[in-house]
Amino acid sequence: MNHVLNAVTSLKQGEVILVPTDTNYALAADPWNEAACRKIFELKQRDLQKPLTIFIANPQEIWKYVDISKVQQIGALEKLIAFMPGPINIVVPKTSLAPSNQFIKSESVALVCNKQPVLREVIELFGRPLGLSSANISGVNYETLIDADLAYSTFGDRVGYILPHSDKLTTTVSSTIVSFLGDTIEILRKGDIDIQDILI
């Protein structure tokens, strides 16, 4: 529990922390704190055209950030959210309840609810979702997922806290990304999860 408290304290102070997800270790900050979001982009040397992903503690909380009036494939979206938590990233039209700043798109948002228990505990205690981006310098790719050691060697002395993982990874690649912004579903990146198995 001390790890969770320490992580939340750092977040509330506007710090960036390192956290485990179901795939890569990631840089995390309060997405409603624009200065904290800026720190992630400065650390990663990341293009502003690549927005943060919003991580949520519980799947049903996702709905408050989705503008369902603009989702054409609502049945498929319901199935993917029912499948969560897991390594699935959904890109949807957003409501006014979602964070909004230059580091998050104005009309849409990428939402994730992972299984990683310690990350979900942090989000719960923090009281609202977190903004994340994988713990790598932008443009630097690795043959494996980013683990704690690699994340620490890259950013360790420049973040407010490093949260140890509580569950061993079972994934082999980054998360599946599915867009609901158009008339049809679009798979932007294929991960370990085959959404066709979920949508049957």
Side-chain angles (χ1 to χ4, degrees), residues 105-200:
K105 287 191 175 179
S106 59
E107 301 297 327
S108 63
V109 65
L111 299 168
V112 175
C113 180
N114 271 183
K115 290 181 179 179
Q116 185 63 236
V118 70
L119 175 58
R120 296 176 73 185
E121 286 180 45
V122 166
I123 298 170
E124 286 269 20
L125 188 59
F126 186 61
R128 57 187 184 185
L130 296 179
L132 272 67
S133 184
S134 58
N136 64 304
I137 301 297
S138 191
V140 176
N141 298 310
Y142 302 103
E143 294 183 0
T144 61
L145 291 173
I146 301 167
D147 61 14
D149 290 339
L150 184 54
Y152 179 79
S153 68
T154 307
F155 299 109
D157 60 347
R158 293 181 288 162
V159 296
Y161 195 71
I162 302 169
L163 186 69
H165 63 76
S166 52
D167 267 14
K168 187 175 181 180
L169 291 183
T170 58
T171 51
T172 62
V173 293
S174 296
S175 61
T176 299
I177 304 178
V178 187
S179 173
F180 286 86
L181 298 181
D183 293 335
T184 60
I185 298 168
E186 183 180 2
I187 299 174
L188 303 180
R189 184 176 70 200
K190 188 171 182 180
D192 287 326
I193 302 296
D194 185 348
I195 68 163
Q196 299 306 321
D197 293 338
I198 302 169
L199 299 180
I200 292 173

Side-chain angles (χ1 to χ4, degrees), residues 25-86:
Y25 251 77
L27 295 161
D30 178 358
W32 282 270
N33 182 331
E34 190 163 353
C37 294
R38 182 176 291 107
K39 290 178 184 178
I40 290 181
F41 279 73
E42 289 173 349
L43 285 167
K44 284 179 62 83
Q45 303 167 35
R46 186 172 175 83
D47 188 336
L48 289 178
Q49 299 305 310
K50 298 178 179 179
L52 296 176
T53 298
I54 305 304
F55 277 62
I56 291 169
N58 296 295
Q60 289 308 308
E61 292 176 22
I62 287 176
W63 289 110
K64 70 174 71 172
Y65 304 109
V66 181
D67 185 347
I68 59 174
S69 70
K70 297 178 180 177
V71 176
Q72 301 299 313
Q73 302 289 333
I74 194 69
L77 180 59
E78 288 173 342
K79 287 182 179 180
L80 288 188
I81 293 175
F83 178 83
M84 294 179 178

